Amino acid sequence: MASFFLSSSASVGLPPTHQALVRRIRQPSPLISASMRCGVSSVPSPPTLLWRYPRISPSRPRLLLTRLPSGVGCGAHEHHHPHHHQHHHGHEQTCELELNGVQKAILRFAKAVGWVDLADLLREHLQLCCCSMILLLLSAACPYVLPARAAKLLQNAFISIAFPLIGVSAALDAVLNVAGGKINIHVLMALAAFASIFMGNSLEGALLLAMFNLAHIAEEYFTRRSNVDVKELKDNHPDFALKLELDEDTLPQFSKLNYNKIPVHQLEVGSYILVRAGEAVPVDGEVFQGASTITIEHLTGESKPVDRKVGDTLPGGARNLEGMMIVKTTKSWEDSTLNKIVQLTKEGQLNKPKLQRWLDEFGEQYSKVVVALSLMVALLGPFIFKWPFIGTSVCKGSIYRALGLMVAASPCALAVAPLAYATAISSCASKGILLKGGHVLDAIAACQIVAFDKTGTLTTGKLMCKAIEPIHGHWIQGDPSCCSPNCENEALAIAAAMEKGTTHPIGRAVVDHSLGKDLPNVSVQSFQSLPGRGLSASLTSIKSGNGTYQLLNASLGSVEYIASLGKSVNESDKIKEAVKTSAYGSNFVQAALSVNKKVTLFHFEDEPRSCVPDVISTLRDKGKLRLMMLTGDHESSAWRVAKAVGGGLIMVGDGINDAPALAAATVGIVLAQRASATAIAVADVLLLQDNISCVPFCIAKARQTTMLVKQSVTLALSCIILVSLQSVLGFLPLWLTVLLHEGGTLLVCLNSIRALNEPSWSWREDLRSFFVSLRSLITTLTEKTTNFGGNIQPAPL
């Protein structure tokens, strides 16, 4: 559910007559909804109506009459369910709607008589709403504690004070909505409240508005809580950076620090900045001088502080706990880690899940049905059921019942049911899990299979070359000795030349193993990468002894790929058999190198991640999920994933050479720290921690969220149906209809923010956890009571 924003600086420079013209208008309800398209104008626009929904502001959304510069607006692609705006605020967008002539005339009149200023002062102000409610409750109690004459006088006095506190702004908003052709829940509430006055039930009408205002203030509070984590990230990030001023060809030094305070968005890549103790690192960089301890708990959920020294990387947003560092920036503000987290989280909350999209499509049809039913009740009730047309508080008329139906059937509770998605996205962001939309939670919850890439995901990915073994083509016929005493060094030199600059774990291990060794000189002439198989290249090498150059044709990759290069089936079988009979067995990760028909086998050792056993056991035993492990960078990995997608498959990878499998899966989860840009683009979930320990949390959170949404929808529909029937049958007064209607909405909100809690794998776990907490609470209270009683000493005689 999207909402509309206007920055606090948007009114700067407006005409004086416009700056003060502020008020709140709720978005239209599905009772009569109309899709809105917002365009971008290339010419100065006429006076426009702007809806503002502040994320954290305690005041209600405001409407500004202003003349905006060209280009201000929201994209034309946005279609929003109008009622959703009034219940779920939190995504920064701006939308324009032009005022019609009638609305302009009403606003001019309201401004002239001071109605606008007074409405702005009183509009859903929490303290004033509470005062109004107290006065109305006292008014309701007067007949029971005072004589009839005195009770009536005091009751009228209380109502006369309380009604304007909540009715002035409601009346202005309703009049402007009707003038703009919008009949929403606020119009209906105002109509019901003021109609109650003419029907002799002013107390009931006042209570209706007071409860409605208080309920929506509470709803905004719960909605804001769903976005608190993202707000904290933004609030904790520095707006300025201390950029060091350097002379040409000089490097920064602690002994000579000259710096300027500049906005973070002006920092350029390669700048040197000073980060002092207690400050946050403004953008991504690496330590150039100094050392310190930092915390990144608010970014990744990792609570353990980490030490950083010269050459170590620092993510934007990391907080420096002690010491002072000179940091060389490696990314601009737009590309920094923290900005990416905030942007992805906000985009994730904007990407609507299936339920929300269905509510968008369902709203207009639902509106027409409710309005038609309400008109039928109002017009046909006197003829069919012999109800009076107006009626009294005792004998309710058809208009009264119709108003009750429209209030009760307004899908406020149904509209906030998807709030759990935004809450869950914020909760995951606080753990270093970035979701690309609420629909991802639905997809994760529906999956039954989890596939893990082996190298770099289940293992650390930091391979070490343990052995180099000639296995085929190295022996001269009839001579048991190898063709060259230095063939291992030659193979290592060729492999290192081919893998230079690679990001693949095996390639990095080969290059690292070659460092510091006396190897033949090899240069690459041509090079080709074969995704899923390996590398092929043409190289030149200096022949030992005579110093002449020798042309080499080399291929490096998996055993299957190198075996497939054999000139015949027999030769391919020989290579495979040589691998099987290797002196080092099959306990290591293997890669093969073919150079002019000579095949050498590289053996690598990879260490499993320490968290893997716990993750696997949790997913298998508690999640009841089927697990798969994908080995090797083959096209078959993506094919196996695609084949299993029918059962709903989650692919977890490190983002290196597994982008096809991530794209083929129902849901792709990637370790963002080492992933390629392609893998990040196709993945649905980004893990900021460089391990898979939070995968069970992510899956459990998805299941928890979908369960909460189902509960909320059931609760919302139950409230709508039951309250609507009771209202039409005349069993409920309007104020009680509003109380039950808004009470149901608040219950849905409360249920939705449970997505902030730690997830469990089943309702039994939830129940068990509840009873454990209850027992702990009772034990604590009992101990305190016992201690209090034991400390009481009898008074001396």
Side-chain angles (χ1 to χ4, degrees):
M1 288 175 283
S3 59
F4 296 107
F5 274 78
L6 182 66
S7 68
S8 59
S9 61
S11 61
V12 175
L14 298 179
T17 55
H18 291 169
Q19 289 187 12
L21 204 53
V22 290
R23 69 177 187 87
R24 179 229 48 195
I25 283 189
R26 293 273 193 177
Q27 300 294 335
S29 165
L31 295 175
I32 294 182
S33 68
S35 297
M36 299 180 297
R37 285 189 181 273
C38 308
V40 176
S41 174
S42 59
V43 296
S45 58
T48 53
L49 194 63
L50 280 157
W51 287 338
R52 180 189 180 197
Y53 279 85
R55 293 176 69 108
I56 301 300
S57 171
S59 63
R60 298 296 302 155
R62 303 297 172 89
L63 177 145
L64 296 182
L65 178 64
T66 179
R67 186 180 300 275
L68 294 179
S70 62
V72 176
C74 66
H77 65 281
E78 288 291 335
H79 273 281
H80 303 304
H81 192 287
H83 190 75
H84 292 176
H85 303 311
Q86 69 187 40
H87 288 287
H88 189 143
H89 324 305
H91 312 306
E92 296 182 2
Q93 295 181 356
T94 303
C95 189
E96 304 177 18
L97 287 179
E98 291 186 4
L99 289 168
N100 59 32
V102 178
Q103 286 176 310
K104 292 177 183 177
I106 293 172
L107 280 172
R108 282 194 295 269
F109 169 77
K111 178 61 181 174
V113 300
W115 192 1
V116 167
D117 296 326
L118 184 60
D120 185 47
L121 176 66
L122 300 177
R123 180 172 290 107
E124 287 192 15
H125 191 289
L126 178 59
Q127 288 80 5
L128 292 179
C129 278
C130 291
C131 290
S132 177
M133 179 60 79
I134 292 172
L135 289 173
L136 293 173
L137 292 176
L138 290 174
S139 176
C142 282
Y144 301 98
V145 295
L146 295 174
R149 186 186 179 103
K152 189 66 175 177
L153 289 173
L154 196 58
Q155 196 174 44
N156 290 337
F158 284 153
I159 294 174
S160 298
I161 297 172
F163 206 111
L165 294 179
I166 50 179
V168 170
S169 59
L172 178 60
D173 294 346
V175 169
L176 282 170
N177 266 320
V178 172
K182 306 296 181 186
I183 308 297
N184 55 34
I185 184 64
H186 302 276
V187 172
L188 296 176
M189 288 295 178
L191 178 61
F194 288 101
S196 297
I197 296 177
F198 295 105
M199 290 188 290
N201 300 320
S202 56
L203 175 60
E204 185 178 21
L207 282 170
L208 182 154
L209 282 181
M211 287 186 296
F212 182 72
N213 288 350
L214 286 173
H216 280 276
I217 291 172
E219 286 171 42
E220 277 207 344
Y221 166 76
F222 293 126
T223 304
R224 290 196 301 266
R225 281 202 61 186
S226 72
N227 296 314
V228 67
D229 295 311
V230 179
K231 179 185 179 295
E232 286 178 357
L233 280 177
K234 294 178 72 176
D235 289 349
N236 289 332
H237 191 272
D239 295 322
F240 297 92
L242 304 180
K243 182 181 178 182
L244 299 180
E245 296 297 324
L246 304 174
D247 297 329
E248 291 185 6
D249 301 326
T250 60
L251 295 176
Q253 297 179 357
F254 280 120
S255 58
K256 187 179 181 182
L257 293 176
N258 295 320
Y259 57 82
N260 288 326
K261 189 177 181 180
I262 66 170
V264 289
H265 64 269
Q266 293 182 7
L267 279 177
E268 299 176 349
V269 176
S271 301
Y272 293 93
I273 57 176
L274 181 66
V275 181
R276 299 173 296 196
E279 295 180 343
V281 180
V283 296
D284 293 25
E286 62 179 31
V287 181
F288 182 78
Q289 281 188 22
S292 184
T293 302
I294 65 168
T295 178
I296 53 176
E297 181 178 7
H298 56 297
L299 300 178
T300 67
E302 178 58 54
S303 59
K304 184 179 179 181
V306 291
D307 295 328
R308 285 292 182 265
K309 58 184 184 300
V310 173
D312 290 341
T313 59
L314 297 169
R319 188 158 294 278
N320 183 19
L321 299 180
E322 57 187 22
M324 188 164 57
M325 298 180 291
I326 295 177
V327 177
K328 183 178 181 181
T329 62
T330 56
K331 290 183 180 179
S332 64
W333 159 242
E334 289 75 15
D335 297 326
S336 68
T337 298
L338 180 59
N339 188 50
K340 290 294 184 183
I341 293 174
V342 173
Q343 292 300 322
L344 283 171
T345 303
K346 287 165 61 178
E347 288 172 11
Q349 292 174 337
L350 283 172
N351 290 332
K352 300 179 181 179
K354 186 177 180 180
L355 171 65
Q356 202 167 332
R357 293 195 301 269
W358 178 81
L359 286 173
D360 288 352
E361 298 169 0
F362 170 73
E364 190 171 351
Q365 287 71 26
Y366 179 85
S367 306
K368 294 175 181 177
V369 171
V370 171
V371 171
L373 287 175
S374 299
L375 289 173
M376 289 173 61
V377 169
L379 299 176
L380 301 181
F383 301 102
I384 299 176
F385 301 104
K386 307 302 180 183
W387 297 331
F389 192 66
I390 300 296
T392 64
S393 59
V394 178
C395 182
K396 298 178 175 62
S398 61
I399 292 180
Y400 190 95
R401 296 169 192 253
L403 289 173
L405 173 61
M406 283 195 287
V407 170
S410 175
C412 300
L414 195 60
V416 297
L419 176 61
Y421 289 112
T423 308
I425 290 173
S426 293
S427 177
C428 287
S430 68
K431 300 284 187 180
I433 304 169
L434 302 185
L435 305 171
K436 293 185 178 180
H439 62 284
V440 176
L441 292 165
D442 288 335
I444 292 174
C447 290
Q448 301 299 320
I449 307 170
V450 181
F452 290 94
D453 177 44
K454 180 184 174 184
T455 305
T457 305
L458 293 177
T459 63
T460 61
K462 296 178 181 178
L463 300 177
M464 294 181 62
C465 184
K466 303 301 291 185
I468 300 175
E469 180 185 14
I471 60 169
H472 179 77
H474 287 264
W475 293 271
I476 301 173
Q477 189 172 5
D479 188 347
S481 62
C482 189
C483 58
S484 169
N486 296 317
C487 63
E488 294 180 10
N489 283 347
E490 183 184 72
L492 179 59
I494 293 170
M498 295 174 69
E499 294 284 12
K500 189 175 182 180
T502 185
T503 58
H504 194 280
I506 287 179
R508 291 200 304 266
V510 169
V511 174
D512 290 345
H513 191 64
S514 68
L515 297 177
K517 291 183 173 59
D518 184 17
L519 301 176
N521 292 324
V522 177
S523 60
V524 177
Q525 301 299 314
S526 62
F527 179 88
Q528 183 180 11
S529 176
L530 306 170
R533 290 182 289 175
L535 311 171
S536 65
S538 295
L539 309 96
T540 56
S541 173
I542 300 178
K543 240 182 177 181
S544 56
N546 54 18
T548 59
Y549 286 92
Q550 150 183 351
L551 184 64
L552 305 173
N553 292 316
S555 298
L556 176 64
S558 64
V559 171
E560 289 80 2
Y561 167 58
I562 298 301
S564 69
L565 300 178
K567 297 297 183 181
S568 64
V569 175
N570 183 46
E571 186 176 0
S572 296
D573 291 341
K574 286 182 178 180
I575 295 173
K576 293 178 182 179
E577 185 62 30
V579 172
K580 290 180 181 179
T581 58
S582 166
Y584 296 93
S586 58
N587 295 326
F588 295 107
V589 177
Q590 297 173 332
L593 172 69
S594 173
V595 182
N596 293 353
K597 299 183 179 180
K598 296 189 296 184
V599 178
T600 305
L601 195 61
F602 286 77
H603 299 272
F604 304 92
E605 186 176 51
D606 196 1
E607 181 182 355
R609 293 181 182 272
S610 58
C611 63
V612 168
D614 290 338
V615 170
I616 298 300
S617 62
T618 300
L619 294 178
R620 182 186 291 118
D621 300 336
K622 294 184 178 181
K624 309 299 181 185
L625 292 162
R626 178 187 162 198
L627 305 179
M628 296 170 54
M629 183 177 73
L630 305 179
T631 59
D633 299 320
H634 311 300
E635 292 179 357
S636 60
S637 294
W639 179 83
R640 288 171 63 193
V641 168
K643 186 177 180 182
V645 161
L649 183 140
I650 301 169
M651 172 67 194
V652 185
D654 62 349
I656 300 175
N657 289 355
D658 51 14
L662 290 167
T666 308
V667 177
I669 300 179
V670 68
L671 300 175
Q673 287 191 19
R674 59 176 68 193
S676 65
T678 303
I680 289 176
V682 301
D684 303 290
V685 182
L686 307 181
L687 305 182
L688 298 183
Q689 293 187 32
D690 193 26
N691 60 64
I692 59 171
S693 59
C694 50
V695 170
F697 174 90
C698 184
I699 297 174
K701 177 62 69 176
R703 293 184 179 183
Q704 176 199 46
T705 304
T706 54
M707 180 185 69
L708 290 175
V709 170
K710 290 175 182 177
Q711 292 173 356
S712 296
V713 170
T714 303
L715 180 61
L717 290 175
S718 300
C719 287
I720 290 172
I721 294 170
L722 292 176
V723 178
S724 298
L725 286 175
Q726 298 292 320
S727 296
V728 172
L729 295 175
F731 297 143
L732 299 178
L734 270 177
W735 68 268
L736 187 55
T737 300
V738 174
L739 180 62
L740 294 174
H741 172 267
E742 295 300 328
T745 304
L746 290 177
L747 285 176
V748 171
C749 288
L750 286 169
N751 189 56
S752 296
I753 64 170
R754 288 171 56 207
L756 291 172
N757 299 336
E758 285 293 316
S760 60
W761 290 100
S762 66
W763 64 268
R764 294 183 180 85
E765 273 191 48
D766 280 336
L767 198 60
R768 191 182 304 115
S769 176
F770 170 76
F771 282 116
V772 169
S773 301
L774 184 62
R775 185 173 63 182
S776 175
L777 178 62
I778 293 172
T779 303
T780 304
L781 291 175
T782 304
E783 289 176 354
K784 287 183 178 180
T785 304
T786 304
N787 293 335
F788 178 75
N791 291 331
I792 298 177
Q793 301 294 330
L797 295 175

